[in-house]
Amino acid sequence: MKRVIEVENLVKQFGNFTAVNNLTFSVAKGEIFGLLGANGAGKTTTIRMLCGLLLPTSGKITVAGYDAFTQPEQIRASIGYMSQKFSLYSDLTVWENIRFFGGIYGLWGRELKLRTSELVDEFKMNEFRDVMVESLPLGWRQRVSLAVSMVHKPPIIFLDEPTSGVDPIARRMFWETIHHISLQGTTVMVTTHYMDEAEYCHTLLIMVDGMIQALGKPDELKSKHAVESMNELFLSLARNSNANMM
Amino acid sequence: MPAIQITNLSKAYGEVKALSDINLSVNGGELFGLIGPDGAGKTTLIRIITTLLLPDSGCATVLGLDTRHDYKKLRGLIGYMPAVFSLYSDLNVEENLNFFAGVFGTSVRENYDLIKGIYHMLEPFKHRPAGKLSGGMKQKLALSCALIHRPKVLILDEPTTGVDAVSRMELWDLLHEIKDKGITTFVSTAYMDEAKQCDRVALIQKGKIFGVNSPNGFAQMFPYKLFAVYSSNIWLHLESIRQMVVCETAYMFGNKLHFATNSFDLRAENLRESLLSMGIDAQVDEIEAGIEDYFIYQLSEKSRS
């Protein structure tokens, strides 16, 4: 299986504080990789380094074949990013938003038009394509936001707590879309506080105090730690954190 | 007398109906959950209950006092923790607590027993500015400040949003302790899995409440037979499973698919065989529904009609 993210002995220090402590893992093409951790565990720092937004202190990171130390710009051009505070233009329609962000990524003319209608089809947004984003339900806005993050056909997308606050059906529909794009070969790295969503990932990495506490398939991790649910596993690992005491 | 009574309450912002004809009654001493997605009207309802917003029609009473007319009296009886952090970031932990005690004409010492359990976790940081606390600690301080005047009713607006699983669990432990001290506690959340922490729950969607019950009560209202289907590549088959004649709804719950059917004579073994004939090798068990199954049932009924 082709690896699209490779991380070796990754360390990030802020002054005396070690935010990320010696991470080693890899992510295969098309994998849905969940990064879990309590607030302050080092998730955001890790993601920022993987996105080429923050220089590591030491170690090795390759993302989509590019080196995070020497080629952060190429990394940024090869990834899509969507967060819970997604920034769509609420007074533009779905179609206009995709076109706008496509333009930012350097698409234009026929190519831009083609890509926009491709995404509208793929994310089943035809019904809504001319509706202003502000009048869409939250679940649909999240879907538009996901489409926008993929406008430049990135091989990897990062989703930072993408489903916060939506109803139970919208949340599941969103995950079905994620599985759909993963089947097509896009690699997905996702953070979430919902432990039932952690089970929707192919592979999970649980961070505590900047270190890897668990890494593997959800079912394997549960049987290895002899727990019934991800929630139980997460609580048992994260509860002993130093960060809890800060 | 109920602790909170809401009667035919409506509120609109311009054209947008935030709340439509809400009726709700919360018993004294109850831990009550208001559960629904963002934009359902949770914050609007809470702002009306806490006397911060007037309804267009209908009324809300808390401890028998009207939120419109008796707001001055009520504000001393309600503890309120808003969704956004609203303490003074540049005051330290101790100063914030003293400030809020002062505003309500009381002192920290007088009510220390009530917040002791929470405050002892904050004590090591009592000289740290509130703005520099971690998310979990900020929340504990906000909760202490909402309790410092010994309210009869505590109202929390989405205290667990964006909070990690550990802090969420700690917060619910604290809310149970507060309830045990006899304080009526009203909490809103978008997390369905928190319903089981509450004595009773109201489900809210698009400004309407479509059910008030205990978490178990909701589960029993689920009208279909339910199966859990487990298979390693189940995500690939969701569409074809939903096409099955016997399938009402099929949604993922953790690592299993919850398959609802109104063919009540369908047995786990039958379903397993049908799936196998579609090339899906699965483990199938009949299960009891939970409150989230019921919520999904309601949502899909509404989108059909």
Side-chain angles (χ1 to χ4, degrees), chain B residues 53-135:
Chain B
L53 189 68
L54 290 176
D56 296 337
S57 60
C59 75
T61 62
V62 179
L63 305 164
L65 298 167
D66 188 286
T67 52
R68 185 189 293 266
H69 304 294
D70 305 317
Y71 68 94
K72 280 189 182 161
K73 205 165 172 190
L74 264 181
R75 285 180 188 175
L77 299 170
I78 295 174
Y80 169 48
M81 184 167 146
V84 285
F85 181 70
S86 329
L87 304 179
Y88 291 92
S89 300
D90 50 351
L91 295 186
N92 71 28
V93 168
E94 206 171 30
E95 288 162 346
N96 265 293
L97 205 52
N98 283 327
F99 174 81
F100 282 95
V103 165
F104 284 102
T106 180
S107 68
V108 174
R109 198 189 312 149
E110 220 171 306
N111 298 306
Y112 187 71
D113 63 297
L114 189 60
I115 60 159
K116 202 169 86 185
I118 315 167
Y119 194 69
H120 90 102
M121 294 188 252
L122 282 164
E123 201 124 41
F125 316 105
K126 64 182 177 188
H127 300 301
R128 191 181 289 187
K132 298 225 160 113
L133 294 170
S134 72

Coordinates of all heavy atoms in Angstrom, one line a residue, chain B residues 53-135:
Chain B
L53 N -34.1 37.5 27.5 CA -34.8 37.7 26.2 C -36.3 37.6 26.4 O -36.7 36.7 27.2 CB -34.3 36.6 25.2 CG -34.6 36.7 23.7 CD1 -33.9 37.9 23.1 CD2 -34.2 35.5 23.0
L54 N -37.1 38.4 25.7 CA -38.5 38.3 25.9 C -39.1 37.5 24.8 O -38.7 37.6 23.6 CB -39.1 39.7 25.9 CG -38.8 40.6 27.1 CD1 -39.4 41.9 26.9 CD2 -39.4 39.9 28.4
P55 N -40.1 36.6 25.1 CA -40.7 35.8 24.0 C -41.7 36.7 23.3 O -42.1 37.8 23.8 CB -41.5 34.8 24.8 CG -41.7 35.3 26.2 CD -40.6 36.3 26.4
D56 N -42.1 36.4 22.0 CA -43.1 37.1 21.3 C -44.5 36.8 21.9 O -45.4 37.6 21.9 CB -43.1 36.7 19.8 CG -41.8 37.1 19.2 OD1 -41.1 38.0 19.7 OD2 -41.4 36.5 18.1
S57 N -44.7 35.5 22.2 CA -46.0 35.1 22.8 C -45.7 33.9 23.7 O -44.7 33.3 23.7 CB -47.0 34.8 21.7 OG -46.5 33.7 21.0
G58 N -46.7 33.7 24.6 CA -46.6 32.6 25.6 C -45.8 33.1 26.8 O -45.4 34.3 26.8
C59 N -45.6 32.2 27.7 CA -44.8 32.7 28.9 C -43.9 31.6 29.5 O -44.1 30.4 29.2 CB -45.7 33.3 29.9 SG -46.6 32.1 30.8
A60 N -43.0 32.0 30.3 CA -42.1 31.1 31.0 C -42.1 31.5 32.4 O -41.9 32.7 32.7 CB -40.7 31.1 30.4
T61 N -42.2 30.5 33.3 CA -42.1 30.8 34.7 C -41.0 29.9 35.3 O -40.8 28.8 34.9 CB -43.3 30.6 35.6 OG1 -43.7 29.2 35.5 CG2 -44.5 31.4 35.1
V62 N -40.2 30.5 36.2 CA -39.2 29.7 36.9 C -39.5 29.8 38.4 O -39.7 31.0 38.9 CB -37.8 30.2 36.6 CG1 -36.7 29.4 37.4 CG2 -37.5 30.2 35.1
L63 N -39.7 28.7 39.1 CA -40.0 28.7 40.5 C -41.3 29.5 40.7 O -41.5 30.2 41.7 CB -38.9 29.3 41.4 CG -37.5 28.6 41.2 CD1 -36.4 29.5 41.7 CD2 -37.5 27.2 41.9
G64 N -42.2 29.5 39.8 CA -43.5 30.2 39.9 C -43.4 31.7 39.5 O -44.4 32.3 39.5
L65 N -42.2 32.2 39.3 CA -42.1 33.6 39.0 C -42.0 33.8 37.5 O -41.3 33.0 36.8 CB -40.8 34.2 39.6 CG -40.8 34.1 41.2 CD1 -39.4 34.4 41.7 CD2 -41.8 35.1 41.7
D66 N -42.7 34.8 37.0 CA -42.7 35.1 35.5 C -41.4 35.7 35.0 O -40.9 36.7 35.6 CB -43.9 36.0 35.2 CG -44.1 36.1 33.8 OD1 -43.3 36.9 33.1 OD2 -45.1 35.5 33.3
T67 N -40.9 35.2 34.0 CA -39.6 35.7 33.5 C -39.7 37.1 33.0 O -38.7 37.8 32.9 CB -39.0 34.8 32.4 OG1 -39.9 34.7 31.4 CG2 -38.5 33.5 32.9
R68 N -40.9 37.5 32.6 CA -41.1 38.9 32.0 C -41.2 39.9 33.2 O -40.6 40.9 33.1 CB -42.3 38.9 31.2 CG -42.6 40.2 30.4 CD -43.9 40.2 29.8 NE -44.0 39.3 28.7 CZ -43.8 39.6 27.4 NH1 -43.5 40.8 27.1 NH2 -43.9 38.7 26.5
H69 N -42.0 39.6 34.2 CA -42.3 40.6 35.2 C -41.5 40.5 36.4 O -41.2 41.5 37.0 CB -43.8 40.4 35.6 CG -44.7 40.6 34.4 ND1 -44.9 41.7 33.7 CD2 -45.5 39.7 33.8 CE1 -45.7 41.6 32.7 NE2 -46.1 40.3 32.7
D70 N -41.1 39.3 36.7 CA -40.3 39.1 38.0 C -38.8 38.9 37.8 O -38.2 38.2 38.5 CB -40.9 37.9 38.8 CG -42.4 38.0 39.0 OD1 -42.9 39.1 39.3 OD2 -43.1 37.0 38.8
Y71 N -38.3 39.5 36.7 CA -36.9 39.1 36.3 C -35.9 39.5 37.4 O -34.9 38.8 37.6 CB -36.6 39.8 35.0 CG -36.5 41.3 34.9 CD1 -35.3 41.9 35.1 CD2 -37.7 42.0 34.7 CE1 -35.2 43.3 35.1 CE2 -37.6 43.4 34.7 CZ -36.4 44.0 34.9 OH -36.3 45.4 34.9
K72 N -36.2 40.6 38.1 CA -35.2 41.1 39.1 C -35.0 40.0 40.2 O -33.9 39.7 40.6 CB -35.6 42.4 39.7 CG -35.3 43.6 38.8 CD -35.5 44.9 39.5 CE -35.2 46.0 38.5 NZ -35.8 47.3 39.0
K73 N -36.2 39.5 40.6 CA -36.1 38.5 41.7 C -35.5 37.2 41.2 O -34.7 36.6 41.9 CB -37.6 38.3 42.1 CG -37.7 37.8 43.5 CD -39.1 37.9 44.0 CE -39.3 37.2 45.3 NZ -40.8 37.1 45.7
L74 N -35.9 36.9 40.0 CA -35.5 35.6 39.4 C -34.0 35.5 39.2 O -33.3 34.5 39.4 CB -36.1 35.4 38.0 CG -37.4 34.5 38.1 CD1 -37.9 34.3 36.7 CD2 -37.1 33.2 38.7
R75 N -33.4 36.7 38.8 CA -31.9 36.6 38.5 C -31.1 36.2 39.7 O -30.0 35.7 39.6 CB -31.5 38.0 38.0 CG -31.9 38.1 36.5 CD -31.5 39.5 35.9 NE -32.2 39.6 34.6 CZ -32.1 40.7 33.9 NH1 -31.4 41.7 34.3 NH2 -32.7 40.8 32.7
G76 N -31.7 36.5 40.9 CA -31.0 36.0 42.1 C -31.1 34.6 42.4 O -30.4 34.0 43.2
L77 N -32.1 34.0 41.8 CA -32.4 32.6 42.1 C -31.9 31.6 41.0 O -31.9 30.4 41.2 CB -34.0 32.4 42.1 CG -34.7 33.2 43.2 CD1 -36.2 33.2 43.1 CD2 -34.3 32.7 44.6
I78 N -31.5 32.2 39.9 CA -31.0 31.3 38.7 C -29.5 31.5 38.6 O -28.9 32.5 38.8 CB -31.6 31.8 37.4 CG1 -33.2 31.6 37.4 CG2 -31.0 31.1 36.2 CD1 -33.9 32.2 36.2
G79 N -28.9 30.3 38.4 CA -27.4 30.3 38.1 C -27.4 30.0 36.6 O -28.0 29.1 36.1
Y80 N -26.5 30.8 35.9 CA -26.5 30.7 34.4 C -25.1 30.6 33.9 O -24.3 31.4 34.2 CB -27.3 31.9 33.8 CG -27.1 32.1 32.3 CD1 -27.3 31.0 31.4 CD2 -26.8 33.3 31.8 CE1 -27.3 31.2 30.1 CE2 -26.8 33.5 30.4 CZ -27.0 32.4 29.5 OH -26.9 32.6 28.2
M81 N -24.8 29.6 33.1 CA -23.5 29.4 32.5 C -23.7 29.5 31.0 O -24.2 28.5 30.4 CB -22.9 28.1 32.9 CG -21.5 27.9 32.4 SD -20.7 26.5 33.3 CE -19.7 25.9 32.0
P82 N -23.4 30.6 30.4 CA -23.6 30.8 28.9 C -22.7 29.9 28.1 O -21.7 29.4 28.6 CB -23.4 32.3 28.7 CG -22.7 32.8 29.8 CD -22.8 31.8 31.0
A83 N -23.0 29.8 26.8 CA -22.2 28.9 25.9 C -20.8 29.5 25.7 O -19.9 28.7 25.6 CB -22.9 28.7 24.6
V84 N -20.7 30.8 25.7 CA -19.3 31.3 25.5 C -18.8 31.8 26.8 O -19.5 32.1 27.7 CB -19.4 32.6 24.5 CG1 -19.5 32.1 23.1 CG2 -20.4 33.6 24.9
F85 N -17.5 31.6 26.9 CA -16.8 32.0 28.2 C -17.0 33.4 28.5 O -16.7 34.3 27.7 CB -15.3 31.7 28.0 CG -14.4 32.0 29.2 CD1 -14.6 31.2 30.3 CD2 -13.6 33.0 29.2 CE1 -13.8 31.4 31.4 CE2 -12.8 33.3 30.4 CZ -12.9 32.5 31.5
S86 N -17.6 33.7 29.6 CA -18.0 35.1 29.9 C -17.5 35.6 31.3 O -18.1 36.4 31.9 CB -19.5 35.2 29.9 OG -20.1 34.4 29.1
L87 N -16.3 35.1 31.7 CA -15.7 35.6 32.9 C -14.7 36.7 32.5 O -14.5 37.0 31.3 CB -15.1 34.5 33.7 CG -16.0 33.3 34.0 CD1 -15.2 32.2 34.8 CD2 -17.2 33.8 34.8
Y88 N -14.1 37.3 33.5 CA -13.1 38.4 33.3 C -11.8 37.7 33.1 O -11.2 37.2 34.0 CB -13.1 39.4 34.4 CG -14.4 40.2 34.3 CD1 -15.5 39.8 35.1 CD2 -14.6 41.3 33.5 CE1 -16.7 40.5 35.0 CE2 -15.8 42.0 33.4 CZ -16.8 41.6 34.2 OH -18.0 42.3 34.1
S89 N -11.3 37.8 31.8 CA -10.1 37.1 31.5 C -8.8 37.6 32.2 O -7.9 36.9 32.5 CB -9.8 37.2 30.0 OG -10.8 36.6 29.3
D90 N -8.9 38.9 32.5 CA -7.7 39.5 33.2 C -7.8 39.5 34.7 O -6.9 39.9 35.4 CB -7.5 40.9 32.7 CG -8.7 41.8 32.7 OD1 -9.8 41.2 33.0 OD2 -8.6 43.0 32.5
L91 N -8.9 39.0 35.2 CA -9.0 38.7 36.7 C -8.6 37.3 36.9 O -8.8 36.4 36.1 CB -10.4 39.0 37.2 CG -11.0 40.4 37.2 CD1 -12.3 40.4 37.9 CD2 -10.0 41.4 37.7
N92 N -7.9 37.1 38.1 CA -7.6 35.7 38.3 C -8.7 34.9 38.9 O -9.8 35.4 39.1 CB -6.3 35.6 39.2 CG -6.6 36.0 40.7 OD1 -7.7 35.9 41.2 ND2 -5.5 36.5 41.3
V93 N -8.5 33.6 39.1 CA -9.6 32.7 39.5 C -10.3 33.2 40.8 O -11.5 33.3 40.8 CB -8.9 31.3 39.8 CG1 -9.9 30.4 40.5 CG2 -8.4 30.7 38.4
E94 N -9.5 33.5 41.8 CA -10.1 34.0 43.0 C -10.8 35.3 42.9 O -11.9 35.4 43.4 CB -8.9 34.2 44.0 CG -9.2 34.0 45.4 CD -8.0 34.1 46.3 OE1 -7.0 34.7 45.9 OE2 -8.0 33.4 47.3
E95 N -10.3 36.2 42.1 CA -10.9 37.5 41.9 C -12.2 37.4 41.2 O -13.2 38.0 41.5 CB -10.0 38.4 41.1 CG -8.8 38.9 41.9 CD -7.7 39.5 41.0 OE1 -7.7 39.3 39.8 OE2 -6.8 40.1 41.6
N96 N -12.3 36.5 40.2 CA -13.6 36.3 39.5 C -14.6 35.7 40.4 O -15.8 36.2 40.4 CB -13.4 35.2 38.3 CG -13.1 35.9 37.0 OD1 -14.0 36.5 36.4 ND2 -11.9 35.7 36.5
L97 N -14.2 34.8 41.2 CA -15.2 34.2 42.1 C -15.7 35.2 43.2 O -16.9 35.3 43.4 CB -14.5 33.0 42.8 CG -15.4 31.9 43.4 CD1 -16.3 31.4 42.3 CD2 -14.5 30.8 43.9
N98 N -14.8 36.0 43.7 CA -15.2 37.1 44.6 C -16.1 38.1 44.0 O -17.0 38.6 44.6 CB -13.9 37.8 45.2 CG -13.2 36.9 46.3 OD1 -13.9 36.2 47.0 ND2 -11.9 37.0 46.3
F99 N -15.7 38.4 42.7 CA -16.5 39.4 42.0 C -18.0 38.9 41.9 O -18.9 39.7 42.2 CB -15.9 39.7 40.6 CG -16.8 40.6 39.8 CD1 -16.8 41.9 39.9 CD2 -17.6 40.0 38.8 CE1 -17.6 42.8 39.2 CE2 -18.5 40.8 38.1 CZ -18.4 42.2 38.2
F100 N -18.1 37.7 41.4 CA -19.5 37.2 41.2 C -20.3 37.0 42.5 O -21.5 37.3 42.6 CB -19.5 35.9 40.4 CG -19.3 36.2 38.9 CD1 -18.1 36.1 38.3 CD2 -20.4 36.6 38.1 CE1 -17.9 36.4 37.0 CE2 -20.2 36.9 36.8 CZ -18.9 36.8 36.2
A101 N -19.5 36.6 43.6 CA -20.2 36.6 44.9 C -20.7 37.9 45.3 O -21.8 38.1 45.8 CB -19.2 36.0 45.9
G102 N -19.8 38.9 45.1 CA -20.1 40.3 45.5 C -21.3 40.9 44.7 O -22.2 41.5 45.3
V103 N -21.4 40.6 43.4 CA -22.5 41.1 42.6 C -23.8 40.5 43.2 O -24.8 41.2 43.2 CB -22.3 40.6 41.1 CG1 -23.6 40.7 40.4 CG2 -21.2 41.4 40.5
F104 N -23.8 39.3 43.7 CA -25.0 38.7 44.2 C -25.2 39.0 45.7 O -26.0 38.4 46.4 CB -25.1 37.2 43.9 CG -25.4 36.9 42.5 CD1 -24.4 36.6 41.6 CD2 -26.7 37.0 42.0 CE1 -24.7 36.3 40.3 CE2 -27.0 36.8 40.7 CZ -26.0 36.4 39.8
G105 N -24.3 39.8 46.3 CA -24.5 40.2 47.7 C -24.2 39.1 48.6 O -24.7 39.0 49.7
T106 N -23.3 38.2 48.3 CA -22.9 37.1 49.2 C -21.4 37.0 49.2 O -20.7 37.9 48.7 CB -23.6 35.8 48.7 OG1 -23.2 34.8 49.7 CG2 -23.2 35.4 47.3
S107 N -20.9 36.0 49.8 CA -19.4 35.9 49.9 C -19.1 34.4 49.5 O -19.9 33.5 49.7 CB -18.9 36.2 51.3 OG -19.3 35.2 52.2
V108 N -17.8 34.3 49.1 CA -17.4 32.9 48.8 C -17.4 32.0 50.0 O -17.8 30.9 49.9 CB -15.9 33.0 48.2 CG1 -15.4 31.6 48.0 CG2 -15.9 33.8 46.9
R109 N -17.1 32.6 51.2 CA -17.0 31.8 52.4 C -18.4 31.2 52.7 O -18.5 30.0 53.1 CB -16.4 32.6 53.5 CG -16.0 31.7 54.7 CD -15.6 32.4 55.9 NE -14.8 33.6 55.7 CZ -14.8 34.7 56.4 NH1 -15.6 34.8 57.4 NH2 -14.0 35.7 56.2
E110 N -19.4 32.1 52.6 CA -20.8 31.7 52.9 C -21.2 30.4 52.1 O -22.0 29.6 52.6 CB -21.7 32.8 52.6 CG -22.8 33.1 53.6 CD -23.5 34.4 53.3 OE1 -22.8 35.4 53.1 OE2 -24.7 34.4 53.1
N111 N -20.8 30.3 50.9 CA -21.3 29.3 50.0 C -20.3 28.3 49.6 O -20.5 27.5 48.7 CB -22.0 29.9 48.8 CG -23.1 30.8 49.1 OD1 -24.0 30.3 49.8 ND2 -23.1 32.0 48.7
Y112 N -19.1 28.3 50.3 CA -18.0 27.5 49.9 C -18.4 26.0 49.8 O -17.9 25.3 48.9 CB -16.8 27.7 50.8 CG -15.6 27.0 50.3 CD1 -14.9 27.5 49.2 CD2 -15.1 25.9 50.9 CE1 -13.8 26.9 48.7 CE2 -13.9 25.2 50.4 CZ -13.3 25.8 49.3 OH -12.2 25.1 48.8
D113 N -19.2 25.5 50.7 CA -19.5 24.1 50.8 C -20.1 23.6 49.4 O -19.9 22.5 49.0 CB -20.5 23.8 51.9 CG -21.8 24.5 51.7 OD1 -21.8 25.8 51.7 OD2 -22.9 23.9 51.5
L114 N -20.8 24.5 48.8 CA -21.5 24.2 47.5 C -20.5 24.0 46.4 O -20.7 23.1 45.5 CB -22.5 25.3 47.1 CG -23.5 25.0 46.0 CD1 -24.3 23.8 46.3 CD2 -24.3 26.2 45.7
I115 N -19.5 24.8 46.4 CA -18.5 24.7 45.2 C -17.2 24.0 45.6 O -16.3 23.8 44.7 CB -18.2 26.1 44.7 CG1 -17.5 26.9 45.8 CG2 -19.4 26.8 44.1 CD1 -16.7 28.1 45.2
K116 N -17.1 23.5 46.8 CA -15.9 22.9 47.3 C -15.4 21.8 46.3 O -14.2 21.9 46.0 CB -16.1 22.3 48.7 CG -14.9 22.1 49.5 CD -15.2 21.8 50.9 CE -15.4 20.3 51.1 NZ -15.8 19.9 52.4
G117 N -16.3 20.9 45.9 CA -15.9 19.8 45.1 C -15.2 20.3 43.8 O -14.2 19.7 43.3
I118 N -15.7 21.4 43.2 CA -15.2 21.9 42.0 C -14.0 22.8 42.2 O -12.9 22.6 41.6 CB -16.2 22.8 41.2 CG1 -17.6 22.2 41.2 CG2 -15.8 23.1 39.8 CD1 -18.7 23.1 40.8
Y119 N -14.1 23.6 43.3 CA -13.1 24.6 43.5 C -11.7 24.0 43.9 O -10.7 24.5 43.6 CB -13.5 25.6 44.5 CG -12.7 26.8 44.6 CD1 -12.7 27.7 43.5 CD2 -11.8 27.1 45.6 CE1 -11.9 28.8 43.5 CE2 -11.0 28.2 45.6 CZ -11.0 29.1 44.5 OH -10.2 30.2 44.5
H120 N -11.8 22.8 44.6 CA -10.5 22.3 45.0 C -9.6 21.9 43.8 O -8.4 21.9 43.9 CB -10.7 21.1 46.0 CG -10.8 19.8 45.5 ND1 -9.8 18.9 45.5 CD2 -11.8 19.2 44.8 CE1 -10.2 17.8 44.8 NE2 -11.4 17.9 44.4
M121 N -10.3 21.6 42.7 CA -9.5 21.3 41.5 C -8.9 22.6 40.9 O -7.9 22.6 40.2 CB -10.4 20.7 40.4 CG -10.9 19.3 40.8 SD -11.7 18.6 39.4 CE -13.4 18.7 39.9
L122 N -9.5 23.7 41.2 CA -9.0 25.0 40.7 C -8.0 25.7 41.6 O -7.2 26.6 41.2 CB -10.2 26.0 40.6 CG -11.1 25.8 39.4 CD1 -12.4 26.6 39.6 CD2 -10.4 26.3 38.1
E123 N -8.0 25.3 42.9 CA -7.3 26.0 43.9 C -5.8 26.2 43.6 O -5.2 27.2 43.8 CB -7.4 25.2 45.3 CG -7.1 26.1 46.5 CD -8.3 26.1 47.4 OE1 -8.9 25.0 47.6 OE2 -8.5 27.2 48.0
P124 N -5.1 25.1 43.0 CA -3.7 25.3 42.7 C -3.4 26.5 41.7 O -2.3 27.0 41.6 CB -3.3 24.0 42.0 CG -4.3 23.0 42.4 CD -5.6 23.8 42.7
F125 N -4.5 26.9 41.0 CA -4.3 28.0 40.0 C -5.0 29.3 40.4 O -5.4 30.1 39.6 CB -4.8 27.5 38.6 CG -4.4 26.1 38.3 CD1 -5.3 25.1 38.4 CD2 -3.1 25.8 37.9 CE1 -5.0 23.8 38.1 CE2 -2.7 24.5 37.6 CZ -3.6 23.5 37.7
K126 N -5.3 29.4 41.7 CA -6.2 30.5 42.1 C -5.6 31.9 41.7 O -6.4 32.9 41.7 CB -6.6 30.4 43.5 CG -5.5 30.5 44.5 CD -6.2 30.4 45.9 CE -5.0 30.5 47.0 NZ -5.5 30.1 48.3
H127 N -4.3 32.0 41.5 CA -3.7 33.3 41.2 C -3.5 33.5 39.7 O -2.9 34.4 39.2 CB -2.4 33.5 42.0 CG -2.6 33.5 43.4 ND1 -3.5 34.4 44.1 CD2 -2.1 32.7 44.4 CE1 -3.5 34.1 45.4 NE2 -2.7 33.1 45.6
R128 N -4.0 32.5 38.9 CA -3.8 32.6 37.5 C -5.0 33.3 36.8 O -6.1 33.1 37.2 CB -3.7 31.2 36.9 CG -3.2 31.2 35.4 CD -3.2 29.8 34.8 NE -2.1 29.0 35.4 CZ -1.7 27.8 34.9 NH1 -2.4 27.2 33.9 NH2 -0.8 27.1 35.5
P129 N -4.6 34.3 35.9 CA -5.8 35.0 35.2 C -6.7 33.9 34.5 O -6.2 33.0 33.9 CB -5.1 35.8 34.1 CG -3.6 35.9 34.6 CD -3.3 34.7 35.4
A130 N -8.0 34.2 34.5 CA -8.9 33.2 34.0 C -8.7 33.0 32.5 O -8.9 31.9 32.0 CB -10.4 33.8 34.2
G131 N -8.2 34.0 31.8 CA -8.0 33.9 30.3 C -6.8 32.9 30.0 O -6.7 32.4 28.9
K132 N -6.0 32.6 31.0 CA -4.9 31.7 30.8 C -5.1 30.3 31.3 O -4.2 29.5 31.3 CB -3.6 32.3 31.5 CG -3.2 33.6 30.9 CD -1.7 33.7 30.7 CE -1.4 34.9 29.7 NZ -0.7 36.0 30.3
L133 N -6.3 30.0 31.7 CA -6.6 28.6 32.1 C -6.9 27.7 30.9 O -7.3 28.2 29.8 CB -7.9 28.6 33.0 CG -7.8 29.3 34.3 CD1 -9.2 29.4 34.9 CD2 -6.9 28.6 35.3
S134 N -6.7 26.4 31.1 CA -7.1 25.5 30.0 C -8.6 25.4 29.9 O -9.3 25.9 30.8 CB -6.6 24.1 30.4 OG -7.3 23.5 31.4
G135 N -9.1 24.9 28.8 CA -10.5 24.8 28.5 C -11.3 24.2 29.7 O -12.3 24.8 30.1

